[in-house]
């Protein structure tokens, strides 16, 4: 069954790659269609530099993995991850860094047993309703695609809904599972990576109350008050709740918010370093654009400017952007995040 699953995914991606080759200008390497106003000249300029960096990083990663039996967390690997994991090594590094590989090894056949088990028709129904909404701009997720990646997506979401009954299924999970499938090309690995994200790295984000998500949005507000007071002031003066402008950032882990390559670089660090990276990204976006945001004159203007800041050259150059997220927000310790989470959780639950 496991071989069949992997073969299905490999055949799908090989078929997609060959069919896309005739239309490579229209579709990126992950299957996403480019917008009509896509700037090919700017993209080619970026890619000429990007490919040189990726090639250099790939050689270093290959040497590191060749000399390593098991990926250990240390300063060298952390530095490598922050500079980007090459696509061909992403699955291995994400699985090792998150603990997903250990879970898969300890539970052989568990994923397939979930698919064979009796299913809750309510969970099936809500998942099916979201299938057509998942990456309509990606050719691999269209019903007309042969085979269609929607089937693998449905399987992963269905299995996870029955594995973690406290979560079941909620919107946003489809985008996360979709990205995992694009990268891993494997349903079972995507399932265990999803379990690492939702069960360990981001607990309570996707439960019915979404308490973890609520808390982290308030934590971001406190961090902005400390580090970007001009933005905090404009948010406060217009009584804008943080959930209005950043909920999708957190619940979708920047998928469909930032460019694909930038999101994948963020996820490299998310799997290795944990949820703290989400705050670094948010603080960098807000801090870098604080003049634009703080000049807003109304709630609607603030919301519009928060949409604007997720586009443009600053976020498209993933290398520079990732350097900035570890520089611009300044120090951000785990102890600070833990303290703020405790404070915000108490505030929310006692309200």
């Amino acid at each position: 069954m496991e071989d069949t699953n992997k073969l299905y995914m490999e055949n799908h991606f090989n078929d997609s790659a060959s069919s896309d080759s005739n239309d490579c200008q229209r579709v990126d390497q992950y299957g996403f269609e480019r917008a009509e106003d896509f700037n090919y000249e700017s993209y080619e300029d970026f890619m000429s530099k990007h490919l040189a960096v990726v090639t250099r990083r790939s050689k270093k990663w290959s040497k590191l993995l060749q000399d390593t039996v098991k990926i250990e967390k240390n300063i060298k690997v952390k530095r490598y991850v922050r500079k980007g994991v090459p696509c061909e090594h992403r699955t291995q590094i994400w699985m090792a860094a998150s603990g997903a590989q250990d879970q898969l090894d300890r539970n052989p056949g568990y994923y397939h047993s979930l698919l064979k088990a009796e299913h809750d028709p309510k969970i099936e129904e809500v998942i099916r309703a979201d299938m057509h909404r998942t990456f309509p701009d990606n050719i691999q997720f269209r019903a007309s695609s042969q085979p269609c990646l929607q089937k693998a997506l449905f399987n992963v979401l269905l299995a996870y809904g029955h594995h973690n009954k406290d979560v079941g299924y909620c919107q946003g999970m489809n985008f996360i599972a979709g990205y995992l499938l694009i990268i891993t090309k494997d349903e079972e690995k995507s399932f265990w990576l999803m379990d690492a994200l939702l069960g360990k790295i981001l607990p309570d984000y996707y439960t019915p109350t979404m308490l973890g998500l609520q808390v982290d949005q308030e934590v971001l507000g406190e961090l902005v008050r400390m580090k970007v007071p001009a933005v905090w002031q404009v948010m406060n003066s217009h009584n804008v709740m943080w959930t209005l402008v950043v909920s999708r950032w957190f619940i979708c882990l920047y998928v469909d918010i930032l460019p694909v390559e930038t999101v994948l670089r963020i996820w490299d660090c998310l799997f290795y370093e944990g949820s703290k990276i989400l705050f670094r990204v948010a603080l960098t976006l807000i801090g870098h654009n604080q003049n634009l945001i703080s000049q807003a004159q109304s709630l609607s203007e603030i919301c519009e400017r928060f949409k604007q800041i997720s586009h443009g050259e600053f976020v498209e150059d993933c290398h520079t952007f990732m350097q900035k997220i570890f520089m611009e927000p300044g120090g951000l310790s785990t102890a600070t995040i833990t303290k703020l989470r405790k404070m915000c959780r108490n505030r929310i639950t006692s309200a």
Side-chain angles (χ1 to χ4, degrees):
M1 184 71 172
E2 292 176 23
D3 291 341
T4 303
N5 167 48
K6 189 164 181 61
L7 182 62
Y8 167 87
M9 295 298 294
E10 287 178 346
N11 285 343
H12 170 82
F13 274 71
N14 291 337
D15 291 346
S16 296
S18 61
S19 64
D20 290 349
S21 63
N22 298 325
D23 234 343
C24 59
Q25 290 294 308
R26 186 178 61 85
V27 179
D28 72 15
Q29 71 183 93
Y30 304 106
F32 289 97
E33 287 185 322
R34 295 191 169 112
E36 288 184 12
D37 61 351
F38 184 78
N39 189 328
Y40 287 95
E41 189 175 334
S42 173
Y43 174 73
E44 286 176 10
D45 181 52
F46 165 70
M47 284 303 292
S48 65
K49 301 167 189 171
H50 173 70
L51 290 175
V53 174
V54 169
T55 301
R56 190 166 62 247
R57 299 307 309 162
S58 183
K59 288 178 181 176
K60 289 191 174 185
W61 270 103
S62 294
K63 187 176 187 306
L64 175 72
L65 295 174
Q66 187 178 0
D67 300 336
T68 305
V69 177
K70 185 177 181 181
I71 302 297
E72 300 288 347
K73 287 195 172 185
N74 56 48
I75 293 173
K76 182 178 182 179
V77 175
K78 183 179 182 179
R79 188 175 75 247
Y80 272 39
V81 168
R82 286 186 172 188
K83 290 184 177 181
V85 181
C87 207
E88 66 268 26
H89 299 307
R90 265 203 173 106
T91 300
Q92 181 184 357
I93 299 305
W94 288 4
M95 292 289 289
S98 66
Q101 186 63 53
D102 288 339
Q103 285 293 93
L104 190 157
D105 292 342
R106 287 195 206 106
N107 299 278
Y110 176 68
Y111 170 72
H112 298 291
S113 71
L114 289 170
L115 292 180
K116 290 176 183 175
E118 187 175 345
H119 300 138
D120 183 341
K122 290 182 180 178
I123 292 180
E124 283 198 50
E125 185 180 351
V126 292
I127 293 173
R128 287 193 193 282
D130 261 1
M131 287 297 99
H132 72 282
R133 301 187 191 110
T134 307
F135 303 133
D137 59 338
N138 190 303
I139 61 172
Q140 300 183 86
F141 288 87
R142 289 181 185 160
S144 57
S145 178
Q146 291 296 325
C148 176
L149 200 54
Q150 284 187 10
K151 175 60 177 172
L153 178 64
F154 178 81
N155 285 348
V156 172
L157 293 172
L158 185 66
Y160 190 79
H162 289 82
H163 163 70
N164 188 343
K165 291 183 171 61
D166 290 337
V167 170
Y169 174 77
C170 75
Q171 288 185 342
M173 289 167 58
N174 51 325
F175 293 108
I176 294 169
Y179 254 51
L180 291 172
L181 285 166
I182 288 170
I183 296 303
T184 67
K185 309 173 179 63
D186 187 290
E187 290 182 26
E188 189 171 26
K189 289 178 180 178
S190 295
F191 168 82
W192 285 114
L193 284 169
M194 196 156 180
D195 186 52
L197 278 173
L198 277 56
K200 185 171 70 172
I201 299 173
L202 303 167
D204 295 335
Y205 260 48
Y206 303 89
T207 52
T209 63
M210 292 187 163
L211 181 58
L213 179 66
Q214 293 182 61
V215 167
D216 279 1
Q217 288 172 165
E218 292 302 308
V219 169
L220 176 62
E222 293 297 325
L223 290 170
V224 171
R225 184 173 63 82
M226 292 186 280
K227 294 175 177 289
V228 201
V231 172
W232 184 86
Q233 184 61 47
V234 76
M235 293 285 286
N236 194 48
S237 63
H238 290 284
N239 293 313
V240 181
M241 296 175 65
W242 285 100
T243 188
L244 278 176
V245 291
V246 301
S247 61
R248 284 192 69 235
W249 292 7
F250 283 84
I251 200 163
C252 293
L253 310 182
Y254 297 102
V255 172
D256 248 18
I257 309 293
L258 297 176
V260 179
E261 208 65 58
T262 304
V263 173
L264 293 174
R265 288 287 300 275
I266 292 167
W267 281 27
D268 289 344
C269 298
L270 178 63
F271 280 117
Y272 191 88
E273 299 186 47
S275 59
K276 188 168 66 172
I277 196 75
L278 301 180
F279 297 109
R280 284 200 167 278
V281 173
L283 287 169
T284 302
L285 286 170
I286 293 167
H288 192 82
N289 296 280
Q290 60 182 300
N291 291 338
L292 177 71
I293 299 168
S294 59
Q295 289 167 12
Q297 300 295 312
S298 65
L299 184 151
S300 60
E301 274 192 25
I302 291 171
C303 292
E304 185 55 40
R305 292 184 186 198
F306 266 86
K307 288 179 183 176
Q308 288 178 26
I309 67 176
S310 64
H311 302 279
E313 290 183 15
F314 181 60
V315 295
E316 286 167 2
D317 184 344
C318 58
H319 304 298
T320 303
F321 182 77
M322 292 305 291
Q323 288 172 355
K324 295 287 186 184
I325 73 168
F326 293 109
M327 293 166 53
E328 292 196 356
L332 187 62
S333 68
T334 301
T336 298
I337 299 294
T338 302
K339 183 180 177 182
L340 288 173
R341 277 175 167 159
K342 184 177 180 181
M343 181 186 79
C344 293
R345 183 177 287 262
N346 288 339
R347 189 163 67 201
I348 291 168
T349 54
S350 62

